[in-house]
Amino acid sequence: MPPPRILSSLATQLSQVSLSASRLPVLPQPCIPQFLAPSIRPFSSTSRHLDWLTPKTGESRKSRKGRPRVPTGGSMRGTTVIWGDYGLRLRDHDRRIAASQLRIAEETIKKRLRGMKFRLYHRIAANIGVYTSGNESRMGTGKGSFDHWASRVAVSKIIFEIKGDLHEQVVKDAFRLAGNKLPGLYEFVRKGDPPVMGITKVGINGVTEADLKRPRKKLPLERTAARLPTASP
């Protein structure tokens, strides 16, 4: 079969076509503010911002129920305000607070302080898995399936901190509303307030850290027995 014939007009048009390596003009990019730009994370050696209500990775094994560690041995860690100006501190016994309760408390604070400039710090993290089993389940069927994330909070621990140009009464009211959403009793603290060892505030009424760390005082009967002369053989 002979090849198709090319029309003379089409051949003339093809001969007039020239190929060049000219580049397209580069249009100026509009200046977009940082807060309106898409959230593109460039390469960085720092870790991503972790969610305080959900761990980055799951648990390798099912965690036990457990109890918060009691601050013994003179520990006062996490009982004072560090980054903010005001804080919300647990003054009840240890609690296990669910992630949903912490989220509701956070939303309550933000709703009360809507329109104000502040920064909210979280001092705890919900990294303990809670597992439940169904009703009327026999013993030996296993621990159960995952239900929710929770956080073990010891006594006198700071839950939230706030930093910003806010009135103290406004922050106190926001923390009061948040404390009503959480289990347990809470108190409002300021930056610079004395730390707490267990349930005793250090520095108030002459109580010092050395007094709380020293051994138990002897009872009156023990003092009397110590003054008695020893019987000679």
Side-chain angles (χ1 to χ4, degrees), residues 89-204:
R89 183 165 62 189
L90 175 68
R91 66 183 180 92
D92 200 0
H93 60 82
D94 51 83
R95 296 282 181 174
R96 190 175 68 174
I97 306 178
S100 58
Q101 297 172 333
L102 294 173
R103 185 184 68 254
I104 292 174
E106 180 188 14
E107 294 175 354
T108 303
I109 295 174
K110 293 182 178 180
K111 185 177 180 180
R112 177 62 181 85
L113 304 178
R114 181 179 299 172
M116 304 179 186
K117 295 183 179 180
F118 66 94
R119 183 171 182 179
L120 184 64
Y121 296 92
H122 312 101
R123 295 290 301 272
I124 60 176
N127 55 358
I128 302 298
V130 179
Y131 299 81
T132 58
S133 56
N135 297 330
E136 300 180 0
S137 59
R138 287 178 167 272
M139 296 180 62
T141 56
K143 184 174 175 59
S145 58
F146 174 81
D147 188 67
H148 63 275
W149 294 104
S151 175
R152 297 192 189 120
V153 185
V155 62
S156 303
K157 295 295 181 181
I158 299 290
I159 309 295
F160 296 106
E161 290 186 14
I162 281 185
K163 182 179 181 62
D165 189 11
L166 303 172
H167 196 276
E168 182 178 338
Q169 295 297 329
V170 177
V171 180
K172 186 179 294 186
D173 185 52
F175 281 158
R176 178 187 61 83
L177 296 174
N180 294 337
K181 305 293 183 180
L182 297 173
L185 302 177
Y186 298 86
E187 62 179 349
F188 176 80
V189 293
R190 306 171 184 84
K191 189 170 186 177
D193 286 358
V196 182
M197 186 182 297
I199 58 175
T200 307
K201 296 182 179 181
V202 180
I204 297 180

